[in-house]
Amino acid sequence: MTDATAARLRPASRPSLWDRIGQGRNALGLIFMLPAAVFLLLFLTYPLGLGVWLGFTDTRIGRAGVFIGLENYEMLLTDHVFLLSVFNTILYTVVASILKFALGLWLALILNEHLPFKAFFRAIVLLPWVVPTVLSAIAFWWIYDAQFSIISWALIKLGWIDAPINFLGDSTNARASVIAANVWRGIPFVAISLLAGLQTIPPSLNEAATLDGATSWQRFRHITLPMLSPIIAVVMTFSVLFTFTDFQLIYVLTRGGPLNATHLMATLSFQRAIPGGQLGEGAAIAVAMIPFLLGAILFSYFGLQRRKWQQGGAD
Amino acid sequence: MASVNIRDVRKAYGATQVIHGVDIRIEDGEFVILVGPSGCGKSTLLRMIAGLENITGGEILIGDRVVNDVPPKERDIAMVFQNYALYPHMTVADNMAFSMKLRKAPQSEIDERVNKAAGILGLTHLLERYPRQLSGGQRQRVAMGRAIVRDPQVFLFDEPLSNLDAKLRVQMRTEIKELHQRLKTTTVYVTHDQIEAMTMADKIVVMHDGIVEQMGAPLELYDRPANLFVAGFIGSPAMNFVKGRIKAGAVPSFETEEGASLPLASAPQGSDGRPAVYGIRPEHFRLTDDGLPAEVVVVEPTGSETQVVARLGGHEYVCVFRERISAGPGETIRIAPDPGLVHLFDVESGKRLGA
Ligand SMILES: Nc1ncnc2c1ncn2[C@@H]1O[C@H](COP(=O)(O)OP(=O)(O)OP(=O)(O)O)[C@@H](O)[C@H]1O
Ligand SMILES: [Mg+2]
């Protein structure tokens, strides 16, 4: 038997490993995924792993720590500031997300109407998002200034209040102020994404519903909202994740004060780890965020699953 | 059920006027088809009847009521859209029940009407499916079901069959017509397919560039087209046209610009020497031994009939014969237009001449 015939016969009888890899879709898929997997491993898993590991040690800046098991976490459970920061984070995320959703949806609905200067208004809506967070945070810092606040000034001029509002000095005010700033910054993302979703709803559906006798509220309730629900799920998941992990706004505006009333888990983690030097404890706080984030992701995973009506053949 | 009366209706989008004064009277229970080439304003007119577009001028009456300022949901009309516009997140049953649920009809009545409509349309086994899980024809039927359940004054259809394949289209054509005979609801149906119009309509309205060219029973339009546009639009293959002059006299005839002489049954009064357009339908040619000699250009047998393009006196004519033809391209056949079925039109205005 010559080599040529042997080569021709072999795949038929027993495919070589190489042939099997070349033919199997799964094996080939794995090979193509390898670079991405390596990349992810290097840049995502390594820092994450390091963070988790640090959380189990008593590392400080300038001193390598030793493994201390769950001691950090046990300590956190009795740490009032940490527990307050968990409460703050949840409050901040829930209130800001609800407001962003409501206002964003409302804006998207308005922008979806036939407005004059539509493109202009859409550009305006994007502005808060285009401005770097730190810059807008500094602007808010001025807006919320105890003495020079433009809001206080305007309200005093209008005669509604007598003394400037202590925006960032009072616990409740400070919480409301940082939430307002976060909402302002987060609305464009929600509004523009939902607007894009609205534009994929064929106008004939609304026309059909009009002829079926639906009022504009009923059209919104029975057509627009259900058709938009998949996009709402995606957008709100992202919005919740961004809000939960927010750092910049708080850090510039209040640094967690007053009396830790606006300390979020992210800001507390940073404060303990870097200025405070307790790397292990800071890492433990950051790791404690993971269950919450995982919860949000799972929630959206089930929310995002294709509804029954989205399944089946395309048009 | 109600009549629909369209009086001098106009529509302009900004400065561009797209409907220029249309008058149509649709009797109670009538099946009227608006037909015309793309962009002539059929959909616009239909949407004005539905109330989805406002009316720039003139008035529309449904029954005795002027509906210009009546919102769509109070007009009591149902519309079947070209893309069906089924609610994708509702089952077939919910799609059909939507309008009744909105007006809070009792569940027993909803079930009864939905089941009845589903029975009529053969959708009973599909009631729990979502629109995505249906074929094009089934979706089309659901769209009709949604309209039927409403039991409206008027049905409006906007090219409901244009997304279906040829065979299904023929089947749905029959079904829609049967449905109309059963329900007797006044129907306005838009299509650009003149065969659909011919086969389904009680009355056809031929539109062109925002005006009504002619309105009448299908065969009336076929037998006596009012102008060149209708003559060319109704009938398939389209009518042959040739320019020339009328020659009155004892034996009237028509002399084409190329010099050929074609037969005429009669010449209109005082029309000797008048320039005109001679129109003859492909199916109104006969093969006879005493016909005019014509050179075969193309032969297209369809089985039941044979379509031939033949050159006669320098002009090409499309002819359709019942007979099978053995002659090939380049050979000569003898053809004769039936003089009694010839149409004459004015060159300038395109209007029909004589009777
Ligand atoms: N919103 C609009 N703004 C400006 N012009 C429009 C608008 N809608 C339609 N038109 C114009 O009005 C004319 C009639 O449109 P219409 O949709 O009624 O045509 P149609 O007869 O239904 O054609 P088709 O058979 O292609 O559906 C077209 O020339 C179109 O360009
Ligand atoms: Mg149209």
Side-chain angles (χ1 to χ4, degrees):
Chain A
M1 216 176 348
T2 65
D3 277 357
T5 41
R8 250 186 288 124
L9 283 176
R10 207 187 300 122
S13 51
R14 200 177 61 86
S16 72
L17 179 69
W18 182 244
D19 283 335
R20 267 183 291 155
I21 288 175
Q23 282 157 9
R25 284 178 64 89
N26 290 336
L28 207 63
L30 273 180
I31 291 174
F32 282 132
M33 266 159 49
L34 214 59
V38 168
F39 191 83
L40 284 178
L41 214 67
L42 231 61
F43 291 95
L44 279 179
T45 321
Y46 175 70
L48 192 68
L50 187 64
V52 172
W53 163 247
L54 279 177
F56 290 119
T57 67
D58 60 353
T59 312
R60 293 186 190 189
I61 289 182
R63 197 201 75 188
V66 294
F67 182 80
I68 55 168
L70 291 174
E71 218 168 279
N72 279 329
Y73 296 94
E74 279 159 16
M75 225 163 62
L76 284 179
L77 276 181
T78 56
D79 181 341
H80 291 290
V81 178
F82 171 73
L83 293 179
L84 183 64
S85 80
V86 173
F87 169 78
N88 287 340
T89 310
I90 292 174
L91 181 81
Y92 184 76
T93 307
V94 170
V95 175
S97 296
I98 290 176
L99 286 176
K100 275 188 270 195
F101 172 64
L103 295 173
L105 182 59
W106 178 67
L107 253 181
L109 288 170
I110 292 180
L111 289 177
N112 198 35
E113 295 294 315
H114 297 284
L115 290 177
F117 312 115
K118 192 146 86 176
F120 176 71
F121 283 117
R122 286 184 187 171
I124 294 262
V125 168
L126 271 177
L127 264 185
W129 213 42
V130 176
V131 181
T133 312
V134 172
L135 199 64
S136 56
I138 291 173
F140 268 103
W141 195 47
W142 270 105
I143 291 173
Y144 292 151
D145 189 277
Q147 282 161 39
F148 306 111
S149 162
I150 184 165
I151 300 177
S152 296
W153 179 82
L155 291 178
I156 288 172
K157 283 280 170 201
L158 281 170
W160 290 9
I161 55 172
D162 302 324
I165 302 171
N166 190 6
F167 283 106
L168 300 178
D170 169 88
S171 302
T172 315
N173 281 357
R175 282 181 180 149
S177 301
V178 290
I179 287 176
N182 179 278
V183 168
W184 178 82
R185 227 193 104 65
I187 278 182
F189 171 67
V190 177
I192 296 294
S193 309
L194 293 186
L195 178 62
L198 282 177
Q199 290 178 339
T200 64
I201 302 177
S204 59
L205 284 189
N206 271 303
E207 291 174 352
T210 310
L211 294 179
D212 271 346
T215 60
S216 51
W217 164 250
Q218 285 169 326
R219 289 204 304 272
F220 173 73
R221 170 73 191 72
H222 296 290
I223 309 293
T224 311
L225 210 51
M227 297 286 295
L228 209 54
S229 62
I231 290 185
I232 290 178
V234 183
V235 170
M236 289 321 291
T237 303
F238 276 101
S239 178
V240 165
L241 293 184
F242 290 153
T243 317
F244 197 90
T245 56
D246 195 10
F247 174 82
Q248 298 181 66
L249 259 180
I250 302 285
Y251 205 72
V252 174
L253 281 180
T254 65
R255 304 229 164 189
L259 295 174
N260 300 322
T262 60
H263 241 321
L264 304 185
M265 291 167 85
T267 52
L268 187 67
S269 158
F270 175 78
Q271 204 194 31
R272 292 267 166 96
I274 310 299
Q278 309 277 0
L279 280 179
E281 198 183 328
I285 295 176
V287 170
M289 293 169 77
I290 294 177
F292 293 99
L293 295 176
L294 229 50
I297 291 174
L298 278 183
F299 179 77
S300 76
Y301 174 77
F302 289 109
L304 277 181
Q305 280 194 332
R306 282 158 66 92
R307 312 281 191 286
K308 207 166 167 213
W309 57 269
Q310 290 173 298
Q311 283 163 358
D315 294 302
Chain B
M1 272 172 277
S3 61
V4 176
N5 215 337
I6 298 168
R7 291 188 190 149
D8 193 30
V9 161
R10 291 158 195 281
K11 174 74 189 177
Y13 290 106
T16 38
Q17 190 158 356
V18 295
I19 307 254
H20 312 268
V22 163
D23 287 277
I24 304 172
R25 192 176 160 75
I26 299 162
E27 303 300 337
D28 191 5
E30 208 170 19
F31 196 114
V32 170
I33 291 192
L34 304 180
V35 65
S38 190
C40 69
K42 309 176 297 281
S43 298
T44 307
L45 190 59
L46 200 73
R47 292 167 59 83
M48 285 197 284
I49 300 174
L52 297 172
E53 300 278 352
N54 41 23
I55 298 165
T56 311
E59 55 186 25
I60 293 180
L61 289 86
I62 297 179
D64 301 326
R65 182 165 68 142
V66 178
V67 295
N68 285 34
D69 297 318
V70 177
K73 63 180 213 136
E74 284 161 32
R75 294 192 186 190
D76 198 11
I77 38 166
M79 182 155 166
V80 175
F81 292 80
Q82 179 172 350
N83 62 1
Y84 316 138
L86 299 178
Y87 310 124
H89 56 293
M90 298 184 199
T91 60
V92 168
D94 287 338
N95 260 283
M96 297 210 276
F98 187 58
S99 61
M100 298 182 70
K101 281 188 179 154
L102 286 179
R103 57 180 167 80
K104 306 210 161 47
Q107 189 62 41
S108 57
E109 190 194 336
I110 294 180
D111 290 342
E112 186 197 317
R113 287 229 219 159
V114 168
N115 286 330
K116 188 168 161 229
I120 293 176
L121 295 165
L123 291 170
T124 311
H125 62 294
L126 300 173
L127 282 177
E128 293 314 312
R129 295 235 195 134
Y130 286 93
R132 282 204 152 229
Q133 302 163 323
L134 301 178
S135 74
Q138 290 166 337
R139 284 180 211 182
Q140 212 281 331
R141 258 178 280 221
V142 175
M144 292 204 312
R146 195 166 64 179
I148 293 173
V149 166
R150 296 263 312 277
D151 189 20
Q153 302 274 342
V154 184
F155 278 137
L156 304 178
F157 290 86
D158 192 354
E159 307 204 19
L161 305 185
S162 57
N163 289 347
L164 305 181
D165 70 41
K167 195 168 170 191
L168 197 53
R169 206 176 309 172
V170 173
Q171 182 193 336
M172 290 307 299
R173 219 153 72 187
T174 322
E175 281 185 28
I176 293 179
K177 188 146 191 205
E178 274 172 15
L179 194 68
H180 177 254
Q181 278 157 5
R182 182 160 171 175
L183 302 175
K184 303 220 164 28
T185 307
T186 313
T187 303
V188 186
Y189 183 110
V190 163
T191 178
H192 58 247
D193 179 350
Q194 55 96 19
I195 299 191
E196 239 169 68
M198 293 295 286
T199 50
M200 295 170 75
D202 292 328
K203 182 156 87 187
I204 297 181
V205 178
V206 181
M207 292 184 64
H208 182 212
D209 281 350
I211 58 160
V212 171
E213 292 279 359
Q214 191 176 2
M215 183 157 42
L219 291 181
E220 202 176 305
L221 263 58
Y222 178 86
D223 291 337
R224 292 178 41 78
N227 53 44
L228 273 175
F229 178 79
V230 178
F233 193 79
I234 299 287
S236 169
M239 191 185 278
N240 297 290
F241 296 114
V242 54
K243 281 188 186 172
R245 282 173 193 286
I246 299 173
K247 292 208 149 181
V251 184
S253 68
F254 186 87
E255 189 181 348
T256 70
E257 279 176 348
E258 290 93 4
S261 179
L262 298 170
L264 272 185
S266 64
Q269 203 81 96
S271 63
D272 190 26
R274 175 174 180 169
V277 176
Y278 182 97
I280 177 80
R281 293 197 184 277
E283 54 274 32
H284 294 158
F285 280 100
R286 281 178 297 123
L287 278 172
T288 61
D289 292 339
D290 57 354
L292 306 161
E295 181 196 339
V296 174
V297 181
V298 179
V299 181
E300 294 173 354
T302 63
S304 61
E305 52 195 24
T306 313
Q307 186 170 321
V308 178
V309 179
R311 190 177 291 120
L312 196 164
H315 192 88
E316 284 183 4
Y317 298 82
V318 178
C319 316
V320 171
F321 304 111
R322 284 297 182 76
E323 300 89 337
R324 301 206 166 168
I325 295 199
S326 54
E331 293 176 38
T332 299
I333 53 173
R334 289 189 166 269
I335 58 174
D338 186 335
L341 297 173
V342 163
H343 309 266
L344 288 175
F345 301 96
D346 185 68
V347 174
E348 299 287 313
S349 66
K351 290 234 161 36
R352 180 182 188 83
L353 294 176

